[in-house]
Amino acid sequence: MTITIDQLQVGDDAGAWAAAGFAVADDTCHLGSVAVRLTGAAGPRGVRRWVLSGVTPEAVEEFVAAEGVATVVADAPPVPGTGAPHDLGVTQIDHLVLMTPNIARTTASLEALGLDVRRVRDAELAGSPVRQVFFRLGEVILEVIGAPTGEGEGPATFWGLTHTVGDIDAAAAYLGERCGRVKDAVQPGRRIATVRTRELGISVATALISA
């Protein structure tokens, strides 16, 4: 069975996402096949947990014990989102970023959960070498980042989201000064821009990428 992300629970106010051009109904924002539930800014910020389909409770228990990532098994098959179009032009989540102090450990934990490594890439982040390991959960790519030889302890943590937009120039114009410069992405033929989330009251590092 394919493992997919049914829901992400994020510690932000719904109004902050709505002001950034996301269509929010009550506390939920549908991004492609994933429902983002905005649980408010009163508690922990960022991505608090993910809800997965296609996994067993036993595998999730082992994954949480190893990685400390709050994970819930969906109690029903995912229902396709029926949310309104987003003013920002977002069509789906392109990828979700998970940071880890121990890339080998987290890679093994995700494989034990039932995911397959799709790609490994060595790069730099803020001048330091990093290793990126990629997995796919339905339409969403999971990008795991850590030091190539890191053997640290402690939990893995969600860091950011990159959203696919139909027209990245229009999305950047919509956000104005709240969006960084549109530039070429690492992926050939695609372009990317970073959203200035602090000015929007959004706690998740966010980028926009062309289709």
Side-chain angles (χ1 to χ4, degrees):
M1 182 180 295
T2 301
I3 300 174
T4 58
I5 303 172
D6 187 24
Q7 183 185 117
L8 295 175
Q9 297 179 6
V10 177
D12 284 339
D13 289 326
W17 283 57
F22 293 92
V24 181
D26 296 325
D27 64 355
T28 302
C29 173
H30 289 281
L31 300 172
S33 63
V34 180
V36 176
R37 183 167 170 250
L38 302 164
T39 57
R45 305 301 302 276
V47 178
R48 294 178 176 177
R49 69 181 64 194
W50 58 356
V51 180
L52 302 180
S53 294
V55 291
T56 65
E58 294 77 16
V60 165
E61 184 177 355
E62 292 180 4
F63 174 73
V64 173
E67 299 301 323
V69 176
T71 307
V72 177
V73 180
D75 56 10
V79 177
T82 56
H86 304 279
D87 291 342
L88 191 56
V90 171
T91 57
Q92 67 182 62
I93 296 173
D94 186 81
H95 61 272
L96 168 66
V97 179
L98 183 70
M99 304 290 285
T100 176
N102 190 321
I103 193 78
R105 182 200 73 195
T106 302
T107 299
S109 295
L110 288 163
E111 289 179 313
L113 187 64
L115 296 171
D116 296 322
V117 174
R118 297 298 186 92
R119 183 188 177 203
V120 178
R121 177 177 180 267
D122 289 323
E124 285 192 355
L125 182 64
S128 298
V130 295
R131 178 158 295 159
Q132 299 165 292
V133 183
F134 298 90
F135 302 83
R136 181 172 283 279
L137 293 90
E139 69 183 20
V140 180
I141 296 167
L142 176 66
E143 177 184 347
V144 183
I145 299 179
T149 58
E151 297 181 351
E153 298 181 356
T157 54
F158 290 115
W159 183 71
L161 288 167
T162 296
H163 305 290
T164 303
V165 291
D167 185 332
I168 194 165
D169 294 305
Y174 179 90
L175 290 171
E177 294 182 354
R178 301 171 297 178
C179 184
R181 180 176 61 88
V182 178
K183 58 186 179 181
D184 290 339
V186 171
Q187 300 90 330
R190 303 181 78 183
R191 299 161 71 217
I192 194 168
T194 301
V195 179
R196 297 190 173 108
T197 51
R198 183 176 298 179
E199 299 175 20
L200 291 160
I202 294 175
S203 63
V204 182
T206 301
L208 308 174
I209 192 167
S210 61

